Amino acid sequence: MGHSCLVGAGAELAGFVILDGLGQTCPELDWLIVAKPYQGYGVAQALMKTALACIAPDKPIQLGVIYYNERAQRF
């Protein structure tokens, strides 16, 4: 079962993160999405910090990025 966190800006959804396999040896950060109008304002960093706080500090984490998403690769 996955765990999720949403970030809002007023009535709009600014971004979300979904974690899978928290009870597993190597959980996966399955999705981290930030709506275009909110990119560059620290939303992704806040979501990543929240996601990592859900995982034990000694556990590795799996993260995949779609090959054409250069912004995500730089992040």
Side-chain angles (χ1 to χ4, degrees), residues 33-66:
I33 303 290
V34 176
K36 236 184 208 331
Y38 301 99
Q39 292 177 2
Y41 293 99
V43 175
Q45 289 86 351
L47 287 168
M48 180 66 84
K49 184 176 179 179
T50 300
L52 293 176
C54 294
I55 301 168
D58 59 336
K59 274 193 172 183
I61 183 169
Q62 183 176 327
L63 172 65
V65 177
I66 296 174

Side-chain angles (χ1 to χ4, degrees), residues 5-59:
C5 176
L6 307 174
V7 173
E12 294 185 25
L13 180 64
F16 66 90
V17 62
I18 298 175
L19 290 169
D20 237 354
L22 285 179
Q24 309 274 326
T25 305
C26 185
E28 178 183 10
L29 197 156
D30 199 18
W31 289 90
L32 193 156
I33 303 290
V34 176
K36 236 184 208 331
Y38 301 99
Q39 292 177 2
Y41 293 99
V43 175
Q45 289 86 351
L47 287 168
M48 180 66 84
K49 184 176 179 179
T50 300
L52 293 176
C54 294
I55 301 168
D58 59 336
K59 274 193 172 183

